[in-house]
């Protein structure tokens, strides 16, 4: 049976790299390996403790092997050499960055997607890949109560797409906005266009602007303040726009954020969109992390005003039980995007495209080839159902709230900004900022060195703070309580020094 014959460990003959029985046989072993990994995940230091260059130093094999190795031997190497260099994002004690929440359904969906391994760049190349994607972005949009104008089912030309990452979503909408504007005012006006964000906007915006050819003189970083909870003030935006117009610049694009990376600040969408509309500015709403939780009615108000925006995106691969990559992007009027991104070589010509009845997703993204991402989202939605998805998300928020309460009860600490979602920003508080920054840096280093939990920091308004971000699928209340005890113990140590 099968096309791999193990005569001995050094003598394996492979005639077919995709033999169904061999696949079945080996895939079970990998499933067992992953299941055991999850079961034992708390034994590993959450943040990998290896030093740079560790792998080449420890791996006995210094070039690709000439002869095949059996799966058992490969998995042994994974165990011995790779796992030590893994920072365990799925550990229940992972509280760093934002979560990348795995789930059984997400994993199985990924397996199906890779199993089919279709490249659905246009409809005809695999109709189900396109149509399932149109369906899931609509389902997701309905769960989020996005206005009908963003959905295919709305019938007004709007719709969504699954891209890889938020960086791509911002770049592609920026390019769409740029070309649309230049069509009106003339291509020679490019050097006058201005892109707006705040000092809390994710670096994706800056990267997109760089890639799209915008110089520093075309990029405005508007300052936020602690008194505004680091949200972008509409008055500041208005002033920046006025000053630019007076200097002969043309306002083009605003990236507003729901749930900034440093502190989960929320930009006041409604007022910002009003100002943007008056100035014919394309508004993109980046809700990469916090967008998912807005499927819960009690969080939906954070999206108020989205109906006035041009585009909206979130990362299902952050807080929606789906592995990377899976960024959902919705647009009210995708025609600008298509006009910037579509190229139609003769070798892709086909009747379906010519009929105008189909969506060809290659025209909605930067790359041509694309993964069947809809499969994993669809399996997640079907496996859990909206009610359970809401319950999972609420349980994370509840744990963040618990951590926040624990921090507030210890007078050595402070919660730095009000908590909106599953992120708590806290620090040891000292009246002197330099001392405070140094002590919190020390505390975070000790937390992460312990291997018992992993958190990251942010720097806002000169203040170094520690971010505690809950969203791991396996995190339970007991992990949060134990981690807080660890933080307190390490703080005791620092005070004694
Ligand atoms: C994570 C994050 C991004 C970047 O997402 P990628 O998918 O890695 O490009 C952008 N914006 C916000 C607010 C984020 O939290």
């Amino acid at each position: 049976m099968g096309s791999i014959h193990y005569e001995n460990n050094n003598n394996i003959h492979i005639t077919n790299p995709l033999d169904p029985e061999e696949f079945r046989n080996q895939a079970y072993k990998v499933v067992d390996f992953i299941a055991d990994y999850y079961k034992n995940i708390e034994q590993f230091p959450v943040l990998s403790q290896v030093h740079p260059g560790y792998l080449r130093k420890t791996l006995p094999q210094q070039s690709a092997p000439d002869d095949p190795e059996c799966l058992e031997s490969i998995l042994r190497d994974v165990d011995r050499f790779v796992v030590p260099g893994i920072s365990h994002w799925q550990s229940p004690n992972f509280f760093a960055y934002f979560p990348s929440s795995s789930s059984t359904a997400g994993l199985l969906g990924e397996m199906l997607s890779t199993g089919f391994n279709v490249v659905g760049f246009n409809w005809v190349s695999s109709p189900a890949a396109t149509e399932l994607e149109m369906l899931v972005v609509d389902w997701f949009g309905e769960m989020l109560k996005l206005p009908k104008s963003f959905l295919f089912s709305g019938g007004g030309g709007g719709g969504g797409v699954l891209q890889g990452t938020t960086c791509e979503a911002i770049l592609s909408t920026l390019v769409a906005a740029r070309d649309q504007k230049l069509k009106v005012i003339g291509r020679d006006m490019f050097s006058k266009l201005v892109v707006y964000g705040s000092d809390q906007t994710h670096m994706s915006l800056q990267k997109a602007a760089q890639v799209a050819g915008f110089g520093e003189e075309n990029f405005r970083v508007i300052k936020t303040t602690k008194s505004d909870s680091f949200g972008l003030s509409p008055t500041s935006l208005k002033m920046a726009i006025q000053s630019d117009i007076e200097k002969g610049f043309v306002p083009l694009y605003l990236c507003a954020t729901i749930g900034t990376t440093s502190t989960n600040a929320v930009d006041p969408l409604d007022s910002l969109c009003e100002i943007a509309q008056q100035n014919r500015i394309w508004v993109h709403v980046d809700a990469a992390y916090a967008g998912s939780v807005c499927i819960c009615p009690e969080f939906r108000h954070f999206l108020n005003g989205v109906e006035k925006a041009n585009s909206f995106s979130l990362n299902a691969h952050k807080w929606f039980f789906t592995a990377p990559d899976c960024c959902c992007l919705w647009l009210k009027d995708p025609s600008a995007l298509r006009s910037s991104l579509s190229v139609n070589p003769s070798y892709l010509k086909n009747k379906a495209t010519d009929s105008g009845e189909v969506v060809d997703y290659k025209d909605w993204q930067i790359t041509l080839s694309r993964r069947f991402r809809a499969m994993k989202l669809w399996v997640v939605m079907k496996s859990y159902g909206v009610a359970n998805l809401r319950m999972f998300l609420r349980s994370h928020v509840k744990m963040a709230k618990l951590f926040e309460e624990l921090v507030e009860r210890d007078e050595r600490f402070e919660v730095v900004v009000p908590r909106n979602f599953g992120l708590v920003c806290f620090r040891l508080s000292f009246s002197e900022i330099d001392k405070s920054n140094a002590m919190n840096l020390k505390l975070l280093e000790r937390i992460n060195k312990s291997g018992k939990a992993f958190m990251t920091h942010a720097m806002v308004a000169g203040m170094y703070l520690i971010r505690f971000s809950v969203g791991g699928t396996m995190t339970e209340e007991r992990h949060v309580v134990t981690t807080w005890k660890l933080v307190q113990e390490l703080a005791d140590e620092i005070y004694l020094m």
Side-chain angles (χ1 to χ4, degrees), residues 319-377:
W319 204 10
F320 206 72
F321 314 100
T322 307
D325 50 0
C326 197
C327 172
C328 315
L329 166 67
W330 290 267
L331 302 105
K332 246 190 233 166
D333 175 14
S335 67
L337 185 76
R338 283 198 302 264
S339 128
S340 292
L341 300 180
S342 78
V343 179
N344 292 297
S346 60
Y347 48 80
L348 291 181
K349 203 170 156 52
N350 67 88
K351 277 191 194 142
T353 298
D354 291 345
S355 77
E357 284 171 34
V358 299
V359 164
D360 288 336
Y361 271 127
K362 73 174 176 48
D363 301 336
W364 293 56
Q365 61 175 25
I366 294 158
T367 59
L368 171 66
S369 296
R370 61 201 319 274
R371 309 181 58 230
F372 191 177
R373 299 184 182 101
M375 180 57 83
K376 54 188 173 185
L377 258 190

Side-chain angles (χ1 to χ4, degrees), residues 98 165-167 202 204 257 259-261 286 288-289 315 317-318:
F98 283 133
T165 64
T166 298
C167 283
H202 194 269
S204 318
T257 311
T260 59
T261 308
D286 171 10
Y289 155 77
N315 281 349
H317 63 252
K318 272 191 172 138

Side-chain angles (χ1 to χ4, degrees), residues 13 54 71 140 143 248 281 311 313 369 450 459 476 479 493:
H13 299 293
Y54 91 97
L71 182 65
F140 209 159
M143 285 157 70
I281 295 174
S311 48
S313 64
S369 296
S450 78
M459 208 59 194
E476 296 170 25
H479 298 106
E493 279 180 34

Side-chain angles (χ1 to χ4, degrees), residues 55 145 171 288 323 345 374 385 423 469:
L55 188 61
K145 300 251 176 314
L171 175 58
L423 172 71
S469 164

Side-chain angles (χ1 to χ4, degrees), residues 258 266-267 269 293-294 298-304 420-421:
I258 305 301
V266 174
D267 292 340
L269 259 193
V293 82
C294 297
E298 69 272 28
F299 287 96
R300 174 55 176 81
H301 67 92
F302 285 108
L303 299 185
N304 287 352
N420 287 324
F421 307 103

